[in-house]
Structure formats: C-alpha cells, structure tokens
Amino acid sequence: MAVCIAVIAKEVCSYWAGTKACTPSTCGPAPYTFYLQVFGHFFFSPLFNQNYPLYIRSVPIQNELKFHYTVHTSLDVVEEKISAVGKAMADQRELYLGLLYPTEDYKVYGYVTNSKVKFVIVVDSSNTSLRDNEIRSMFRKLHNSFTDVMCNPFYNPGDTIQSKAFDSMVTAMMVQAS
Amino acid sequence: MESLTLTDGEQKYYSDLFVYCDTDNTKKVASNGRVLDLFRAAQLPSEVVLQITELCGATRLGHFGRSQFYIALKLIAVAQSGLPLRVESLNSVKDLPLPRFVVAKNEQEARHTAMYPDSENQGSYQGVIPRPPGRGQVKKLSAHEVIQPCVPTVEPQLQPDPTSPVVSPHQSPPTSPHWRKHKRQASGGNVERQPVVLAGAVWTPFREAQAGPVVSGDGMWSANSPPPVQESWENSSIRTVASATTTNETQRQSSGGYDDPWKITDEQRQYYINQFKTIQPDLNGFIPGSAAKEFFTKSKLPILELSHIWELSDFDKDGALTLDEFCAAFHLVVARKNSYDLPEKLPESLMPKLIDLDDSAEVPDQAPDVGYSGSPVEVTPNKSPSMPSLNQTWPDLNQGNEQWETFSERSSSSQTLTQFDSNIAPADPDTAIVHPVPIRMTPSKIHMQEMELKRTGSDHTHPTSPLMAKPPDLSEETKLATSMKFVTANSGDGYSSSDSYTSDQDPITSVVTRQRSHSGTSPEGLKVVAAPPPPPPRPHASHSRSSSLDMNRSFAAVPTGPQLAGVVAYPPAVPPRPLPTQTSGPHSGHRSDEGLAAHSTTSPHQIPEQPNFADFSQFQAFAASDQLSDDGEKHPESLPLEKSSEGAGPLRTVKSDNQEERAAATVNSAKGSIMAPPPKPVRRRLKSEDELQEEALPLKSNVIATVLAAQPSIPRSVGKDKKAIQASIRRNKETNTVLARLNSELQQQLKDLLEERISLEVQLEQLRPFSHL
C-alpha cells in the first residue's frame, strides 16, 4: 500500500522538497505505502494561484513519481473544494477536506489551513485500517508540526521544510499508519 | 625474550601505557594502532621503531603482548637516551629514563582547537578562534620537559584509579573511555578522541597548577560573543574534562565520571544572561524570534543548523526565547561552533527549568576541583525526580492546543513569520448567519396575553381598565365580577387559540380588531355586568374574519357611550373596520359554519345580545333554511334562505368567530350565568361541530330559543334609566352590526346559491337537448 504525504505551497516554483525519503531500510518493511506532500502558500504573492510543494515524503519510495502526479491532480479538487465555500463561510470552512477522490488504487485526502497551505495524503486503497478520524488526527499532527516549523524564525515561508522535528514526526506517522 | 626487569616506576609507567594501548581491554595485547601511535609519539625514526618492534618480538608474534610491549617501551627509552638498540641493553642499562612520548605540535593544536573528533574543522578553527590561554597551554605542553615532571605529580593522583589516565599523553587513555561514553554522537574514532583526551589530560596538571584556567578565559568573554564564548566554553569543557580526570575513581567509575558537555557552567550562563540582557533587558521576558534570528545569524552558522538549534531550544514552540531557552540555544551555537554535532533532541541539561537545577547543583560541585562531585551521576539524581515529570509535561504541552494560541500571539511579533489564523478559534459569532426575525404583523400570543394581563391586572392605563373599573360601578356587575375575570381568562385563552389562527396577511387593523375582539370577550362579560347585560360582543375574536365583524359590532357599540367604551372596546380605540372588506372575508368561513348554528350544547344561559334579538326570528327561519341548505340541495327557497341566512349570518359569523374559541365557548357555556357571550359561545360550540350539519338546525333553534329567552331578561336587568338607555343604544348598535354581518353573509350565500343554480341549469340544458331529441 502506498502512502504519500504532500505539503503544497501556493506558488509554483518547481520546488520539490525532496526531504529524505524514507527508505525501506529506515522505515522498515512497510506493508502499506504512504505519501505525504505539503503545498505551501506565499502570502506576498496573492496573484499567484499556483501551488508548489514544500515537503514530500513517501514510503516506500518506489512509484514516487506516480504519487507526485496524483497529488498534483488532486490539487484541482482541493481548489474546487475551498472555492466552493463562499466568503461568508470562509472562516467556518472546515480545514479537513476529507477524501478528495478515490481512484482504483488509492485514496487521496486533503486538508487546507487558513493560510491556504495544503496537505495531501495519498493512501493505498488496500489500507482499510485507516479510518477517517485517523486521517484527521494525522492532519492535525501535520498541522501542528507545520506551525512549529513556521514558528522558527530561521524558516522562511516558502522554503522547503528541512526541519528534523518535522521529518521525525512524519516518519513516525508513516510508520504508524503503515 | 629476555626477562625484563623494571623498576617500580617503570613498572607502573609501562603498565599504564599498556593499559592505554589496550584498547580491546584484553589486558594482554596492546592494539597495534595504539602502540604504533605511541611509538610515533616517541619521536624516534621509523626505522628505529621498526627495529624495536622487531626486537621485542612483536613482529614475530604479530601483536604486542604485555611483555613485548614492555620490552618495546624499554627499548624506546634506550633509543631515546641514545643508546644503541639491543636486547641486551634492556637489562643492562640502568637508570634508564622513562620513555618519553611527545605529542606532536599539530596534534596538540588539534586537541586545542576542538577536543573534537572532527579534524576537518581544526584547521579552520585555528584561524578563527583566538585562544591565547589555550594556546598558552599548548605551548607549554609542547615542552617535553614539562610533561615529564608532571607525570610524577599526576601519577599519584591517578594511581588509585586503575584506569586513571597516564600522565601527560598517557593521561588520555583513561579519559578516552569516558569520552567514549560521552553523549556526543559525532564521535570520531577513539584515535581521534585520543588527542582530545590527551589534551585534556595534559591540561589537567596545568589546571591543577593554576587556580583556574578558565580565569584566563574570562577575560576573553568581553570580546565578541562567539569566539570568547567558544573559548570559555572550551575552557570550561576542558576544565570539566580535567576535573573529570581528577575526580576520584569512584566518581569516575560511576557513570564514567565525565561531565555532561551540554551542561552550562556558571560562567557560561552568566555570559549568556548578559547577552540576553542586551537584547531583552527583562530577564523574565521573551526574545522575539526575529531578534534571536539576527543574533544567532551573527555566529555565521548555516541557516539550516540555526534552524535546527532553534527547534531544539524553543521548547514551548512559541516563536520566542525565554532566558532558559536562549541559554540553551546559545550553548548549542557554541557547541556547534566548536564542531560538536547537534543532538537530535535537546539534552537534558539544556532543557528549560532543568538548567536552574543544574546551576544549583553545579555551584557546590565546582568549588572543589577534585570533588567535582557534581558528577552527572550525582547531579542527575537530584534532577531526576523533577525531570521525568517535566519531560512528560513538556511533550504534553507541546501537543496541547495551547500552542495554537501562543503561536498566534507570537507570530505577530515577527515580521518573517507568516500570519496564521488560529484554527482553534471558534467561528466569529458575528459572521454567523443571522436568521431573519420575522416581524409579526399580527399580535403574537405573548402580546395578546399581555393584553389580557393588562386587562386582568389593575393596570388602569389600559383602555380596558375602565372596564374593570366599570363593573364595580354597576350594581349588577358584582355578581358577575368573578365571571368577568373568568371571561377575561377565557378571552386570554381565546386569544391564544385565536392567535394560532391569525393570519399574517391581515392588516394590523384587523389584528387590532382581533385584539379588541379578544378584549371583547372579557368586555363581554364586563359589558354584561357594566351595562345591564348588554350582550357583550362575542368573544369570537379567534377567527380573523369573523372577528372583524365582531369588532365592527363592538366598535359600533363603543362610541355609544363613554362608559361602555371601555367596557365594550375591548381593544383600545380602533376605528371600526370597513365592514364590507371584512364581512366578505369571513363569509366563506361563515358559510361553512352554518351547520353549527343549531348546536345546542350550550344551555340557554347564553343570553343572546339584544342586537340578536331581532335576529332570533330570523334565526329560526334561518335554522330551517339551514337545514335545507345543509342538505346540500339547492332550493328555490332562496328567499327564506336569504332570510335565514341573514339570521344565520350573524349566527354563523359568531360561530365562525367562535370556532377557534371553543375553549372560551365551553367555558362560557359552563358559566351559564354569564350572559355575556350568550349566543356567541353557543355558536362557537356549534361551529366547532361544523360537521354536524344535521344538528345545526336543531341547535340553531335551541340557540335561538336561548337567545330569545335571554333577550328579554336583558332589558329587565337594567334598573336605571340612563344606563338602560345606554345599554339599549349599545344593543341596538350591536344589532346593527350583527344584522350587517348577517346581511353580508346572506349575500354571500345568495351568490353561492345562484352559482349552484346556474350550474344546475347548465346541466339541465345539457340534458334537455336530448329531451328535445
């Protein structure tokens, strides 16, 4: 089962975070695959509506490119979901977007923060043990860690996330989810 | 191999050296690497070294056994003394000085610069970091002569500890294990550590000799932060190392006896505090992230490392540094500058709140150099009780939601930090959709109840209050006082029930009229009491349409007399509504209620109002006609129908009005003695049973009878002329209104009948052609 976590920024910069992908040796034999990608958002460039990844992590690392593609296609769904809610409800819009869309192989979950930073998780469909509230908790942890990264004055928003604490958290989460 | 006789000093020395070389702790074989290093340190030509090794038999054996080692050492001493290398000389030479092993200058420098396993930075550091005191030490060390004398001085101290470091370079071995046990992860090989340890060991004697080597370092602290801090840190670390080496064997044995390199010494801490003050004068305050970023950027560490340091030191993840956090961060920067690798997680000694404990524990420990009982082992127990709890609480705090709030607070302090909305903040109630509050055009129940309350209460401001005041004036009212109240209550109920039927479409005036009609219910009773039982306007205020008619009647009665105004005008002065508009409305409703007219559930106590007096005859006829009409058949008896309809009109209207006020009707009927809503309540009851059309007529007749019966009693009750006149006037007016309503109803009925007739005729017409055919 493939799992992929992606953190996506709002600007396109071809900015593949490429943080240490979890190799099978470090993550151990993962029965499920997991892919995470974080897409960030640039505040001082509101004209740009593109997203670029701040952080990508997958386990195992095979088929990573396929996950990249999946996550990028899911961005459209994310944009659609966040634009569906009107301005009045913008504050009340739930951050957890839920299952964006299922494909034959995997399910894509989305989460958007108030600052339009998007978290995308791709999980294999065969991983039936992952329930919705578990995904929610994962997103919550991601968000917490992301804010910790943001708190760091040495982190410039828009940079790729190279925080070790973030990496360790993601690794632990992936191991737990697998 | 010849037997080797060694002097005691030699024996000890050699054994120490052997232990030093015995990296594998075999106690029998000295590792080749160590031995070779040692031999190299002897500063002998390599060929001599080779010869020595050959002579001692190591080459033969392939390793250095203890005996070989000793022989080798002896030969080194021989060689160093200039004597030819010969096995015979091993025992022949007497008074052979101990072999000297000199540490190469570059090695010393390396040791000085780092004590770091990372040899790469050594060169760079030498240029960057001025360390006169250290260098001074190094220079001193370079003198062989110095080393030697130190050996005997140090030895005695070290001897109690079997693992005690051998003097001078040999001091390193015992400390190396300690270094090995060191937390530092970026440890090079033991070989690398050796120079470090050696340096540390070498410095030990100097440390003992001097009061405090760090003192010299203190002077540097006033200079730029990183270098002097590094130096001071280095000195302190050296000192700690030295102190570690000089600790008792128990201390050393326990937990290795070395200090925690991450521990902040007092001098360091003071320095950090001073630096903190330059940024933030308040020691209890925070340093915002941006200021901290600028400060630590000065250390010229790569941003990535600074970022990692920040992650480690900002314990509460609030984007700002407290004093403890700042000291931890500073300490980490210093360590990193000295090319110590950063730990993966914050060392315990650097954790906030624990540092305080460290200081308190350190102070007494550092007083005696030897008694550096502040050995981590002993110190940690003091901290351990609190540490676990803190360690447990901190992660919990970090995971708590409070960091969200703190983050949002802190983020505003930094320009570079992105502004996040707090995810936890509940939706602003202002943004919540506000449901439009419907504005009722019609009186709400509450309003009606208020009206009722006002009426029932002793509120004289209410127009109906005169109503209350009136009754006492009238003689007849007393007996009806209770009934009045009852009526008012009923009226209240009527209001509530009528309220449900109120339609929003009715104009306010109609609402008001309804109110008035409601108030009329009570006034009905009151009216009856006040004026010798003028049949009070029926309480049929429930039905909107009919109520209007009632209102008309009541209004008509209102202007009759000021006395009755209050009584009659249940609703405050409201202009009589246009009859036609209102009468037309309820007609349809009334029509359906025709059948109820004859309901005779009520007893004849329902005294019809005088206006109805005239209607009674009509009612009778109407009752008959109702029967016919109720049959659903169209009779050409339109006239009687009309008549009856006229009579029934008011009846119907009354009924329709009272339909909703069944409760009131029942109550009123229950009263019996109440003349007030005589026919009305009855009619209400009738209305309620609209379905019972067949009973309508008989009921109607009964009602009519009751009305008729009640009617005569009314005028009789009037005792006084004036009041009688007024009452009669009122009655007349009421009759007028009733008749008017009846008229409208009948007209409506007429229209319906005509329509039916037309339809029937059409049917006939359709049938006739066939008949024609």
Side-chain angles (χ1 to χ4, degrees):
Chain A
M1 152 111 56
V3 170
C4 161
I5 299 177
V7 180
I8 300 168
K10 202 155 191 235
E11 255 205 10
V12 143
C13 276
S14 303
Y15 223 144
W16 291 99
T19 56
K20 11 185 200 188
C22 182
T23 65
S25 60
T26 60
C27 291
Y32 300 132
T33 55
F34 203 86
Y35 186 73
L36 160 73
Q37 198 161 26
V38 179
F39 285 85
H41 166 66
F42 251 129
F43 278 101
F44 39 87
S45 49
L47 299 177
F48 292 99
N49 277 328
Q50 294 125 348
N51 306 296
Y52 70 95
L54 297 178
Y55 182 87
I56 301 168
R57 173 78 79 81
S58 70
V59 51
I61 52 175
Q62 302 94 344
N63 296 331
E64 192 162 351
L65 204 58
K66 173 181 119 183
F67 291 131
H68 289 189
Y69 166 75
T70 308
V71 168
H72 269 277
T73 55
S74 68
L75 281 181
D76 289 338
V77 185
V78 172
E79 291 280 339
E80 171 194 336
K81 281 196 185 245
I82 59 178
S83 62
V85 184
K87 284 238 165 169
M89 297 283 290
D91 290 338
Q92 298 159 1
R93 175 175 53 83
E94 191 175 316
L95 305 173
Y96 175 69
L97 300 176
L99 183 66
L100 296 177
Y101 67 89
T103 67
E104 66 283 0
D105 287 338
Y106 40 80
K107 296 181 273 195
V108 183
Y109 295 92
Y111 182 93
V112 184
T113 68
N114 282 333
S115 56
K116 298 291 189 291
V117 175
K118 305 163 187 67
F119 297 81
V120 178
I121 293 184
V122 178
V123 195
D124 258 5
S125 294
S126 54
N127 188 359
T128 54
S129 63
L130 272 183
R131 273 185 240 98
D132 189 66
N133 52 353
E134 290 174 17
I135 303 278
R136 275 181 195 265
S137 68
M138 284 166 60
F139 276 127
R140 208 174 307 123
K141 278 192 271 183
L142 274 172
H143 200 165
N144 287 340
S145 304
F146 183 70
T147 51
D148 292 342
V149 168
M150 280 292 176
C151 273
N152 194 331
F154 298 101
Y155 172 79
N156 302 313
D159 291 348
T160 60
I161 297 174
Q162 283 155 325
S163 149
K164 293 183 196 167
F166 192 82
D167 288 343
S168 59
M169 186 277 305
V170 172
T171 311
M173 202 166 66
M174 286 181 150
V175 169
Q176 182 193 21
S178 313
Chain B
M1 192 62 48
E2 295 181 19
S3 62
L4 195 61
T5 57
L6 299 171
T7 63
D8 287 345
E10 280 180 343
Q11 183 72 27
K12 286 174 197 158
Y13 188 47
Y14 291 172
S15 64
D16 289 336
L17 278 174
F18 185 81
V19 169
Y20 167 67
C21 292
D22 189 9
T23 54
D24 295 336
N25 273 335
T26 60
K27 304 259 192 302
K28 288 205 177 153
V29 178
S31 66
N32 277 358
R34 278 281 171 83
V35 172
L36 289 173
D37 286 343
L38 202 59
F39 291 169
R40 249 180 276 121
Q43 288 190 331
L44 294 172
S46 57
E47 49 188 327
V48 174
V49 172
L50 265 172
Q51 198 177 4
I52 290 169
T53 52
E54 202 177 338
L55 278 175
C56 71
T59 47
R60 181 163 45 83
L61 285 175
H63 61 272
F64 278 97
R66 193 176 276 271
S67 57
Q68 286 82 27
F69 188 70
Y70 290 173
I71 292 166
L73 289 175
K74 194 90 189 245
L75 286 172
I76 287 169
V78 167
Q80 281 178 347
S81 56
L83 299 172
L85 277 179
R86 233 171 286 137
V87 178
E88 303 81 29
S89 61
L90 280 174
N91 290 332
S92 59
V93 178
K94 307 289 182 193
D95 298 330
L96 197 61
L98 289 172
R100 289 167 308 203
F101 295 87
V102 175
V103 179
K105 181 138 197 228
N106 55 353
E107 282 184 39
Q108 288 173 345
E109 295 244 350
R111 278 180 238 134
H112 281 292
T113 53
M115 297 221 285
Y116 326 115
D118 189 1
S119 56
E120 295 172 358
N121 296 337
Q122 290 169 4
S124 62
Y125 272 107
Q126 289 173 10
V128 170
I129 303 159
R131 268 179 256 119
R135 296 243 174 90
Q137 291 182 0
V138 172
K139 284 168 191 163
K140 289 177 190 171
L141 287 172
S142 59
H144 304 322
E145 298 75 11
V146 179
I147 295 176
Q148 286 288 5
C150 289
V151 172
T153 59
V154 176
E155 251 188 329
Q157 295 176 8
L158 304 174
Q159 273 180 358
D161 184 4
T163 64
S164 67
V166 182
V167 174
S168 88
H170 305 305
Q171 290 174 2
S172 57
T175 59
S176 58
H178 304 313
W179 287 110
R180 259 179 257 147
K181 294 178 199 172
H182 205 282
K183 272 189 200 173
R184 284 185 212 139
Q185 300 162 1
S187 60
N190 289 333
V191 178
E192 292 180 3
R193 286 249 169 95
Q194 274 188 13
V196 177
V197 180
L198 285 172
V202 165
W203 285 328
T204 304
F206 295 97
R207 169 166 162 61
E208 294 167 4
Q210 302 166 17
V214 186
V215 175
S216 57
D218 291 340
M220 296 300 298
W221 286 0
S222 56
N224 281 344
S225 52
V229 172
Q230 292 167 6
E231 196 168 3
S232 63
W233 170 89
E234 192 183 10
N235 287 337
S236 60
S237 58
I238 292 167
R239 175 183 59 175
T240 54
V241 170
S243 57
T245 58
T246 56
T247 51
N248 297 334
E249 67 175 286
T250 55
Q251 290 172 351
R252 210 175 286 113
Q253 280 171 352
S254 59
S255 83
Y258 61 94
D259 66 314
D260 183 4
W262 300 114
K263 209 177 288 182
I264 301 179
T265 64
D266 271 354
E267 293 85 354
Q268 285 176 326
R269 188 158 191 77
Q270 196 54 48
Y271 184 78
Y272 298 156
I273 292 172
N274 294 335
Q275 289 296 309
F276 185 90
K277 278 187 196 157
T278 61
I279 307 174
Q280 164 72 275
D282 177 20
L283 287 183
N284 289 328
F286 292 92
I287 289 185
S290 53
K293 175 180 179 179
E294 292 170 23
F295 182 79
F296 287 114
T297 311
K298 282 190 243 168
S299 67
K300 296 189 182 44
L301 281 181
I303 296 290
L304 185 60
E305 296 186 7
L306 287 172
S307 171
H308 188 56
I309 287 172
W310 177 276
E311 272 184 13
L312 291 175
S313 57
D314 188 5
F315 208 67
D316 47 6
K317 302 280 182 241
D318 59 355
L321 297 180
T322 62
L323 181 60
D324 288 344
E325 292 172 347
F326 177 82
C327 293
F330 214 145
H331 202 63
L332 287 169
V333 167
V334 166
R336 193 72 192 106
K337 272 290 203 181
N338 294 320
S339 70
Y340 269 117
D341 281 353
L342 296 175
E344 288 300 316
K345 49 176 211 152
L346 195 64
E348 290 170 352
S349 55
L350 289 180
M351 281 191 179
K353 296 204 180 95
L354 299 180
I355 295 180
D356 295 332
L357 294 169
D358 255 344
D359 285 343
S360 60
E362 267 182 307
V363 171
D365 293 335
Q366 290 173 356
D369 292 336
V370 177
Y372 185 70
S373 56
S375 65
V377 181
E378 290 179 348
V379 173
T380 45
N382 300 335
K383 291 184 291 180
S384 55
S386 56
M387 260 163 42
S389 60
L390 281 167
N391 288 337
Q392 288 160 8
T393 54
W394 276 112
D396 294 338
L397 285 175
N398 282 342
Q399 294 166 7
N401 284 338
E402 55 192 1
Q403 65 178 341
W404 288 99
E405 280 79 30
T406 56
F407 170 77
S408 57
E409 294 164 14
R410 293 280 161 212
S411 62
S412 57
S413 62
S414 168
Q415 301 165 359
T416 58
L417 290 177
T418 53
Q419 303 296 325
F420 282 105
D421 298 330
S422 173
N423 293 334
I424 308 297
D428 190 1
D430 293 339
T431 62
I433 293 178
V434 178
H435 296 284
V437 178
I439 299 174
R440 303 195 57 146
M441 302 299 289
T442 60
S444 60
K445 286 187 189 181
I446 299 170
H447 184 56
M448 301 305 275
Q449 286 168 0
E450 284 176 354
M451 305 253 328
E452 174 203 347
L453 285 171
K454 284 182 187 174
R455 233 170 292 108
T456 53
S458 60
D459 185 7
H460 295 279
T461 57
H462 196 275
T464 58
S465 60
L467 225 148
M468 309 297 291
K470 283 268 178 177
D473 296 339
L474 303 174
S475 59
E476 322 266 342
E477 294 161 2
T478 52
K479 64 176 182 179
L480 293 174
T482 55
S483 63
M484 234 172 37
K485 286 178 188 171
F486 208 102
V487 173
T488 54
N490 295 334
S491 63
D493 298 339
Y495 292 147
S496 59
S497 58
S498 66
D499 211 24
S500 58
Y501 292 92
T502 53
S503 63
D504 294 339
Q505 300 163 1
D506 291 350
I508 298 178
T509 53
S510 64
V511 169
V512 179
T513 60
R514 223 173 298 118
Q515 293 179 0
R516 296 212 183 108
S517 64
H518 290 315
S519 59
T521 56
S522 60
E524 284 183 37
L526 296 173
K527 197 172 156 186
V528 173
V529 178
R538 61 231 69 297
H540 42 256
S542 56
H543 201 280
S544 58
R545 299 167 191 158
S546 56
S547 66
S548 57
L549 291 177
D550 295 337
M551 299 313 297
N552 294 336
R553 189 161 48 79
S554 63
F555 291 142
V558 169
T560 53
Q563 300 172 330
L564 304 173
V567 178
V568 178
Y570 338 112
V574 168
R577 54 208 53 333
L579 275 177
T581 57
Q582 290 168 352
T583 54
S584 61
H587 282 323
S588 55
H590 295 314
R591 192 171 298 277
S592 59
D593 298 335
E594 263 185 274
L596 297 176
H599 189 69
S600 62
T601 55
T602 58
S603 58
H605 62 266
Q606 310 298 348
I607 300 170
E609 298 176 19
Q610 220 175 9
N612 302 328
F613 192 73
D615 297 336
F616 295 145
S617 58
Q618 291 176 358
F619 287 154
Q620 265 181 337
F622 183 66
S625 63
D626 275 350
Q627 256 183 342
L628 298 171
S629 62
D630 288 339
D631 294 342
E633 293 181 4
K634 274 298 161 193
H635 293 283
E637 298 171 350
S638 55
L639 289 177
L641 266 177
E642 287 177 358
K643 288 179 190 172
S644 60
S645 65
E646 285 175 7
L651 202 69
R652 242 183 297 133
T653 55
V654 174
K655 288 177 209 166
S656 60
D657 291 340
N658 299 338
Q659 189 174 16
E660 294 76 12
E661 292 185 4
R662 297 166 197 175
T666 51
V667 174
N668 289 333
S669 62
K671 282 191 200 158
S673 60
I674 299 175
M675 301 163 39
K680 315 302 167 29
V682 175
R683 289 169 204 155
R684 272 182 230 134
R685 294 291 299 273
L686 298 174
K687 279 185 204 171
S688 60
E689 299 177 7
D690 195 0
E691 299 78 11
L692 305 173
Q693 292 179 353
E694 297 184 354
E695 299 174 3
L697 289 175
L699 290 173
K700 262 189 192 174
S701 58
N702 292 338
V703 170
I704 291 166
T706 56
V707 169
L708 286 167
Q711 279 266 335
S713 64
I714 293 170
R716 289 168 200 160
S717 58
V718 177
K720 300 171 184 176
D721 292 341
K722 186 178 180 184
K723 288 190 181 174
I725 292 167
Q726 288 172 350
S728 62
I729 291 169
R730 205 185 310 130
R731 273 182 238 121
N732 290 332
K733 285 190 178 175
E734 288 174 7
T735 312
N736 289 340
T737 53
V738 169
L739 286 171
R741 201 179 306 150
L742 190 62
N743 184 24
S744 56
E745 272 194 21
L746 288 170
Q747 283 176 6
Q748 190 85 21
Q749 261 187 330
L750 179 61
K751 286 180 201 170
D752 296 339
L753 288 170
L754 286 173
E755 285 177 15
E756 288 182 37
R757 183 186 173 182
I758 291 167
S759 64
L760 283 171
E761 285 181 2
V762 167
Q763 287 179 8
L764 266 175
E765 291 281 346
Q766 289 170 358
L767 292 171
R768 263 183 213 160
F770 297 103
S771 67
H772 284 309
L773 298 174

